Amino acid sequence: MKIVRTVAALAVTFSFAAACSESESYTQETVVAPSPFHGIHGLTVTPDGRLLAGSVVGRALYEVNRDTGETSIAEGPPEGMADDVEQGPDGTIAWTAFLDGKVYARKSDGRLLTLAEGLPGMNSLAWTDDGRLFATQVFLGDALYELDPSGANPPRKIMEGMGGLNGFDFGPDGKLYGPLWFKKQIVRVDVETATIETVATGFDVPAAANFDSKGNLYAVDTAAGHVYRIDVASGEKTLISEVAPAIDNLALDADDNLYITNMADNAVIAIDTDTGEARTIVSGALAVAGDIEMSDAGTLYVADLFAARMVDPVSGEVTELGRVFASDIDYPLSVSVANGRIAFAALTAGAVHLFDEETGASLGIHHGFTTPAEALAMSDGSVLVTEYTRGAIVRVGGDDWSDRTDLATGLSGPATMKLGLDGSLYVSERTGGRISRVDLESGESTVIAEGLAEPEGFDIAPDGRIIVAEVGAKRISAINPAGGEPTVLKSDLPIGFEAPDGAPDLYIPTGIAVAANGDIYYSSDIDVAIYRLKKD
């Protein structure tokens, strides 16, 4: 991780601080173009032909033109957060705000209602033909509810402990059909008697099921990337199409055209149910664009939440190490490269995942961390992990991941780390507004710079300066570790996407990577893109 640059940083003198204060001009270039979403999940096609799709991380409900792929926001943040969306027979559009634990409804007269709240993990929903509305908790709960579409009455719990009843639909028989995510089944639920029976088995991770107008049931398997037609009488599955894994949901329009979403590709895809042909309507090269890191070989790594990715900084070509559900990758949001290992940390999943830098092979994933914001592989085989909300840096034994000891505590939102050959560690403290140097033996910290506006990603430039993203001020600044005021290099940047209530304020980390020629790369959590700043 650019250790030689840190050596230079330690050798700078106070005379360099004066040079830092001089104005500098940078031109911004696009490396990876913006994506239309921040991950895409549930979708529906309304009777009048509108395709609506929801994003949880992006906290928005979108409308997608099925012919051109053009997107627009139908419901913006914060109320627009949507894991699933469906329109009722009276024109009411309802959607589930997964992280907020709410279900919203937009009535045909324009009123916005809250139909449920205080139920984290509200995930999927479906209407009956006579206007009853049902929704489930998944992942952060496991229950089925009936909701009052008027919002006058609280949700009524029907049953719980099903096994993750995800995207579902009512069949011609009035029963609810959907997948049990954790039991790998498609099931039939009688909402009147609160009973459940198995319809089909043999899935990897079934994510959603819907009926067409002829009574055919279609289902998607997110881990396999398969789209199936299912005979509800026999349970027989017919594979009709195969796409990339990480499918999230599906919907059919009035003419029985089938659409699916893929969260890792930010894609809405049309599936021909006769030929199996898949046509991408809209997609993005990146899904979320979290932290970035440049290796000594010049590869730019991206922690993309739904995938671990690599970018060629010259061509902008994007490839991947793996994606969620298709491998053991678990929602990576930060990345570092050091000592021959790539380390991804999953802030919300509490996980750290290592890869071999040379081969790209997985070296294993480990859970049980408290909001890990960054992981850093050390030369002795150990791994350092910043636990963001706990304010600590944890040292993990190289051979025994249960061997965890605190290196440093009392930090204020420790986020990104960089190593120095002087035996010290640099860390950005987002909530503390500072960058500190931590002694790797004693854990003692020394403030290098303070008064920063929510610093997140940083790197050390060839000239020794620390280049940091101050997301609270939407700017990138340069800091001389020997002293002096920070120099603003570029302002008014598309960084600092607002976190929902209850989520860590780090949310989607903004990453910084400085190339050997001094070019500055940063990830945009607002545009879902990667940009390069070149000095004029």
Side-chain angles (χ1 to χ4, degrees):
M1 190 183 294
K2 308 166 202 73
I3 294 174
V4 292
R5 302 177 196 170
T6 308
V7 175
L10 298 173
V12 294
T13 64
F14 279 93
S15 62
F16 185 67
C20 285
S21 64
E22 296 178 1
S23 61
E24 300 178 48
S25 177
Y26 286 82
T27 298
Q28 178 167 293
E29 301 173 341
T30 299
V31 179
V32 180
S35 178
F37 315 113
H38 293 77
I40 197 70
H41 306 292
L43 78 166
T44 192
V45 182
T46 65
D48 60 357
R50 300 172 66 204
L51 191 154
L52 302 176
S55 174
V56 172
V57 175
R59 309 172 72 195
L61 186 63
Y62 299 87
E63 182 170 351
V64 180
N65 185 301
R66 291 183 283 166
D67 296 321
T68 66
E70 182 181 358
T71 65
S72 58
I73 293 179
E75 295 280 350
E79 290 88 357
M81 178 190 292
D83 201 3
D84 198 8
V85 55
E86 295 290 343
Q87 183 168 353
D90 68 348
T92 299
I93 296 174
W95 62 93
T96 54
F98 178 83
L99 295 177
D100 292 340
K102 297 180 179 181
V103 176
Y104 291 106
R106 178 71 70 180
K107 307 299 285 187
S108 56
D109 62 8
R111 289 178 296 141
L112 180 65
L113 304 179
T114 301
L115 306 185
E117 55 186 330
L119 297 173
M122 291 303 284
N123 188 295
S124 302
L125 47 75
W127 296 84
T128 62
D129 290 340
D130 59 356
R132 297 171 69 186
L133 179 60
F134 295 81
T136 54
Q137 286 175 291
V138 186
F139 306 119
L140 303 181
D142 189 4
L144 171 65
Y145 297 87
E146 181 172 7
L147 309 182
D148 180 357
S150 74
N153 299 303
R156 178 179 67 89
K157 183 185 291 186
I158 296 172
M159 57 194 306
E160 59 185 347
M162 297 91 67
L165 181 59
N166 213 356
F168 48 78
D169 194 15
F170 280 95
D173 59 359
K175 304 293 178 59
L176 192 63
Y177 290 76
L180 295 185
W181 181 284
F182 298 108
K183 294 185 177 180
K184 307 179 186 301
Q185 303 170 351
I186 300 293
V187 297
R188 179 188 299 113
V189 178
D190 188 322
V191 297
E192 305 302 335
T193 63
T195 56
I196 189 168
E197 57 182 316
T198 301
V199 173
T201 60
F203 299 91
D204 289 336
V205 181
N210 277 81
F211 285 92
D212 67 9
S213 65
K214 304 178 184 66
N216 296 308
L217 181 64
Y218 293 90
V220 294
D221 189 317
T222 187
H226 289 171
V227 181
Y228 293 101
R229 183 185 298 113
I230 298 173
D231 186 314
V232 297
S234 67
E236 181 181 356
K237 307 190 299 290
T238 300
L239 178 64
I240 65 168
S241 188
E242 186 171 1
V243 298
I247 304 172
D248 194 277
N249 215 318
L250 78 159
L252 293 111
D253 65 15
D255 297 321
D256 292 336
N257 297 304
L258 177 64
Y259 303 90
I260 64 174
T261 56
N262 187 298
M263 66 189 100
D265 296 325
N266 267 352
V268 177
I269 303 167
I271 303 293
D272 188 311
T273 56
D274 292 325
T275 67
E277 180 184 359
R279 175 179 65 88
T280 299
I281 296 172
V282 61
S283 65
L286 298 175
V288 172
D291 186 26
I292 62 174
E293 171 81 343
M294 184 170 285
S295 70
D296 290 339
T299 298
L300 199 62
Y301 290 89
V302 186
D304 203 22
L305 187 62
F306 300 109
R309 292 194 154 109
M310 300 172 291
V311 174
D312 183 326
V314 177
S315 67
E317 180 185 5
V318 180
T319 54
E320 65 185 41
L321 288 169
R323 59 178 56 202
V324 294
F325 309 119
S327 60
D328 55 359
I329 291 173
D330 201 352
Y331 299 107
L333 273 172
S334 72
V335 60
S336 69
V337 184
N339 297 303
R341 289 176 289 172
I342 309 160
F344 289 93
L347 184 78
T348 57
V352 171
H353 194 169
L354 297 182
F355 289 84
D356 183 276
E357 183 183 0
E358 182 177 356
T359 66
S362 173
L363 301 177
I365 188 168
H366 305 274
H367 290 82
F369 294 94
T370 302
T371 53
E374 176 96 292
L376 183 62
M378 308 295 284
S379 60
D380 63 358
S382 65
V383 177
L384 299 181
V385 180
T386 52
E387 293 194 324
Y388 184 76
T389 57
R390 200 168 70 84
I393 299 176
V394 177
R395 191 194 303 272
V396 182
D399 298 323
D400 182 4
W401 279 76
S402 65
D403 177 15
R404 304 178 185 184
T405 57
D406 286 344
L407 169 65
T409 58
L411 302 174
S412 185
T416 301
M417 295 181 287
K418 301 289 175 183
L419 271 177
L421 283 182
D422 65 333
S424 294
L425 179 75
Y426 294 92
V427 58
S428 60
E429 298 181 63
R430 187 188 191 277
T431 54
R434 57 183 176 258
I435 291 178
S436 300
R437 182 189 296 125
V438 177
D439 186 279
L440 286 168
E441 296 298 327
S442 67
E444 181 181 352
S445 64
T446 303
V447 175
I448 300 299
E450 57 188 346
L452 304 175
E454 300 172 359
E456 290 184 354
F458 71 94
D459 201 356
I460 301 171
D463 62 12
R465 293 183 296 172
I466 296 173
I467 309 300
V468 59
E470 295 186 78
V471 299
K474 297 185 180 298
R475 67 192 180 205
I476 292 175
S477 301
I479 297 167
N480 175 12
E485 292 297 318
T487 300
V488 176
L489 303 182
K490 197 74 170 177
S491 300
D492 301 319
L493 299 177
I495 58 177
F497 192 86
E498 186 176 352
D501 293 340
D505 52 13
L506 184 60
Y507 201 47
I508 308 171
T510 294
I512 294 287
V514 183
N517 66 356
D519 287 351
I520 300 168
Y521 294 81
Y522 77 92
S523 57
S524 168
D525 56 354
I526 291 177
D527 290 351
V528 190
I530 295 176
Y531 296 109
R532 174 174 47 236
L533 301 181
K534 293 188 72 71
K535 194 170 184 179
D536 296 333

